[in-house]
Amino acid sequence: MKLSLARSTPFRALLLAGTLSCLACNRDSSSAAATPQTPPAATTPQDTSLPTLTLPPDSGPAPSFDSNRAMQYVKDIVKFGPRPLNSPAHKKVEDYIDSRLKGDNVEDDNFIADTPAGKFPVHNIVARFPGTKDGVIIVASHYDTNYPLRNTAYVGANDGASSSGLLLEMANQLRGKPRDGYSVWLVWDDAEEAMLPDGSGGLPMEMPFDKDSLYGITHLADNWQADGTLKKVKAFLLADMIGDADLDIDRDLNSTPWVESVVYEAATRLGDQSHFFGRLNQVGDDHIPFMKRGVACADLIDFTYGYNNVFWHTPQDTIDKLSPNSLEIVGKVMLETIRILDKTEPLPPK
Ligand SMILES: [Zn+2]
């Protein structure tokens, strides 16, 4: 499977089985998936192995992470209801996230996005936890829900709420402790989701996801490129759809292999590697604007949410599908990844 072929599809992502045969993960393709497919013409299989790095030895206790508190954040966000752009619940979630970060160094990045569905206010939230080393590690999650599903019961418990609750608990773990490492910036970005139907959620596709999405994070990437901040960013870690009780984080071929090697090492040190990278995928997500600007990235996403991803972008994306244990696994692996990055000298080139 050529990457370019996968990129040309209208879907947000393609799953690539370990044999590099192609399975469309989009719900609308279920009938096509049942039809035998002609294998693609001869292609050069891509080398998908992760690089072996020389990393500092495992030291210190495992990071702490309060999974029940993280889960409560997720429940609180979901309780506000659907949170598409410009909705009352969206504003309540903005205020909720800000309220959990009182006393932290927080920047609210507000702007108006010009989208195919009109102009909409967008609100990114950045919390900065300073370190002693020169450089920044960004951890991001979007918190909005899909706009075309705004008139349904879709609350995005996994898609947006799980990772946003995870970051709030990461803030608790970072707060008030001197960081002997890089500064960590937690980013709750807005308007990740498409504004017109993108073929997900049972709606027809009016606009491909990559032409109508990632508004908030692109704004931050543009700003930080313009003011030189981007040069200081050592790694960009993204969490998306990480609350599924049946946790299987994809190995994303759109991410930076050496960062994924560090993530896998962190998972292995914590004994959680069986939840990581058993499946190859290629994901269009909030890391793409940073990848395009030369930042090393890893997207941690479990894009098989129910068999054949059936719960994705549907009203069935509800809290009962999630597990605090999954939040804890991903939260600890993120924190351990940061610890390894802090101690690795030098980091591989971007
Ligand atoms: Zn989504």
Side-chain angles (χ1 to χ4, degrees):
M1 174 60 62
K2 283 182 183 166
L3 283 175
S4 56
L5 179 61
R7 281 191 183 120
S8 71
T9 68
F11 307 131
R12 182 174 174 183
L14 282 179
L15 289 180
L16 303 176
T19 57
L20 294 179
S21 62
C22 175
L23 298 167
C25 59
N26 179 289
R27 211 173 19 273
D28 297 335
S29 66
S30 53
S31 56
T35 308
Q37 306 258 319
T38 308
T43 55
T44 307
Q46 177 189 1
D47 180 8
T48 55
S49 56
L50 287 173
T52 302
L53 305 175
T54 304
L55 295 173
D58 192 357
S59 63
S64 44
F65 188 91
D66 187 331
S67 59
N68 290 324
R69 188 164 52 182
M71 193 66 183
Q72 189 58 51
Y73 295 145
V74 180
K75 289 178 180 171
D76 289 347
I77 292 170
V78 165
K79 266 195 219 129
F80 290 120
R83 48 187 188 282
L85 294 194
N86 226 9
S87 64
H90 187 285
K91 176 75 176 92
K92 285 178 188 165
V93 173
E94 290 172 30
D95 293 345
Y96 176 81
I97 294 171
D98 278 331
S99 74
R100 310 310 309 182
L101 301 170
K102 280 232 164 67
D104 295 331
N105 178 357
V106 174
E107 174 196 349
D108 291 293
D109 172 42
N110 298 306
F111 72 103
I112 302 293
D114 197 357
T115 83
K119 291 187 182 346
F120 288 85
V122 173
H123 180 90
N124 296 314
I125 300 167
V126 183
R128 295 183 168 90
F129 298 90
T132 51
K133 286 183 84 165
D134 189 25
V136 175
I137 296 168
I138 293 174
V139 184
S141 153
H142 81 91
Y143 67 91
D144 60 307
T145 51
N146 182 281
Y147 189 76
L149 297 174
R150 65 193 176 284
N151 296 321
T152 73
Y154 174 66
V155 292
N158 194 26
D159 191 354
S162 69
S163 49
S164 295
L166 177 111
L167 260 63
L168 285 174
E169 175 56 17
M170 285 184 73
N172 293 338
Q173 299 300 333
L174 293 165
R175 184 175 299 121
K177 296 174 192 160
R179 288 218 81 250
D180 185 19
Y182 297 114
S183 295
V184 176
W185 295 359
L186 302 181
V187 176
W188 290 262
D189 63 88
D190 195 5
E192 182 263 1
E193 297 283 8
M195 298 302 290
L196 292 182
D198 61 353
S200 64
L203 299 174
M205 190 184 68
E206 294 179 18
M207 176 96 52
F209 178 81
D210 61 351
K211 302 257 185 311
D212 168 34
S213 61
L214 314 183
Y215 294 101
I217 203 73
T218 301
H219 188 254
L220 285 174
D222 278 343
N223 284 354
W224 288 341
Q225 186 168 40
D227 71 9
T229 299
L230 226 50
K231 290 196 197 94
K232 296 185 181 174
V233 179
K234 303 296 180 186
F236 179 99
L237 307 175
L238 178 62
D240 196 5
M241 298 177 68
I242 46 70
D244 187 357
D246 178 17
L247 183 69
D248 287 298
I249 300 291
D250 297 316
R251 162 87 206 287
D252 170 37
L253 297 174
N254 282 345
S255 291
T256 307
W258 75 256
V259 185
E260 293 184 310
S261 285
V262 178
V263 169
Y264 195 75
E265 173 64 17
T268 303
R269 289 181 183 188
L270 297 170
D272 291 324
Q273 69 272 37
S274 70
H275 298 282
F276 284 77
F277 301 168
R279 205 174 43 222
L280 299 179
N281 202 343
Q282 187 172 27
V283 185
D285 208 346
D286 273 328
H287 58 319
I288 298 299
F290 283 78
M291 287 295 294
K292 283 183 179 167
R293 289 162 180 78
V295 175
C297 298
D299 185 8
L300 303 193
I301 183 169
D302 174 353
F303 208 53
T304 300
Y305 183 32
Y307 177 75
N308 215 21
N309 213 18
V310 285
F311 301 139
W312 176 56
H313 284 184
T314 75
Q316 291 163 321
D317 180 2
T318 46
I319 204 85
D320 55 294
K321 315 286 192 312
L322 311 188
S323 162
N325 192 43
S326 297
L327 301 178
E328 178 165 347
I329 289 167
V330 176
K332 284 184 170 176
V333 167
M334 286 272 197
L335 290 165
E336 183 69 17
T337 298
I338 293 168
R339 176 155 69 180
I340 295 172
L341 292 171
D342 282 340
K343 293 182 175 162
T344 303
E345 285 292 354
L347 289 173
K350 291 171 184 174

Coordinates of all heavy atoms in Angstrom, one line a residue, residues 12 142 154 159 192-193 312-313, ligand 1:
R12 N -10.7 9.9 7.0 CA -9.8 10.5 7.9 C -8.5 9.6 8.1 O -7.5 10.1 8.4 CB -10.5 10.6 9.3 CG -9.7 11.3 10.3 CD -10.5 11.5 11.5 NE -9.7 12.0 12.6 CZ -10.2 12.3 13.7 NH1 -11.5 12.1 14.0 NH2 -9.4 12.7 14.7
H142 N -7.8 17.8 21.4 CA -8.9 18.7 21.1 C -10.1 18.4 22.0 O -10.2 17.3 22.6 CB -9.3 18.5 19.6 CG -10.2 17.3 19.3 ND1 -11.6 17.4 19.3 CD2 -10.0 16.0 19.0 CE1 -12.1 16.2 19.0 NE2 -11.2 15.4 18.8
Y154 N -24.8 13.2 20.0 CA -23.4 12.9 19.9 C -22.6 13.8 20.9 O -22.6 15.0 20.8 CB -22.8 13.1 18.5 CG -21.3 13.0 18.4 CD1 -20.7 11.8 18.6 CD2 -20.5 14.1 18.1 CE1 -19.4 11.6 18.6 CE2 -19.2 13.9 18.1 CZ -18.6 12.7 18.3 OH -17.2 12.6 18.2
D159 N -14.1 10.7 21.8 CA -13.5 11.6 20.8 C -13.5 13.0 21.3 O -14.5 13.8 21.0 CB -14.3 11.5 19.4 CG -13.6 12.2 18.3 OD1 -12.6 12.8 18.5 OD2 -14.1 12.0 17.2
E192 N -11.0 21.0 16.0 CA -10.2 20.0 15.3 C -11.2 19.3 14.2 O -10.8 18.9 13.2 CB -9.8 18.9 16.3 CG -9.0 17.8 15.7 CD -9.8 16.5 15.4 OE1 -11.0 16.5 15.6 OE2 -9.2 15.5 14.9
E193 N -12.5 19.2 14.6 CA -13.4 18.5 13.8 C -13.8 19.2 12.6 O -13.8 20.4 12.5 CB -14.7 18.2 14.7 CG -14.4 17.3 15.9 CD -14.2 15.8 15.6 OE1 -14.1 15.5 14.4 OE2 -14.1 15.0 16.5
W312 N -17.4 5.5 16.4 CA -16.7 6.8 16.1 C -17.7 7.7 15.4 O -18.4 7.3 14.5 CB -15.5 6.5 15.2 CG -14.9 7.7 14.6 CD1 -14.4 8.7 15.4 CD2 -14.6 8.0 13.3 NE1 -13.8 9.7 14.5 CE2 -14.0 9.3 13.2 CE3 -14.9 7.4 12.0 CZ2 -13.6 9.9 12.0 CZ3 -14.5 8.0 10.9 CH2 -13.9 9.2 10.8
H313 N -17.8 8.9 15.9 CA -18.7 9.9 15.3 C -20.2 9.4 15.2 O -20.8 9.6 14.2 CB -18.2 10.4 13.9 CG -17.1 11.3 14.0 ND1 -16.5 11.9 12.9 CD2 -16.4 11.8 15.1 CE1 -15.5 12.7 13.3 NE2 -15.4 12.6 14.6
Ligands
ZN1 ZN -13.7 13.3 15.8

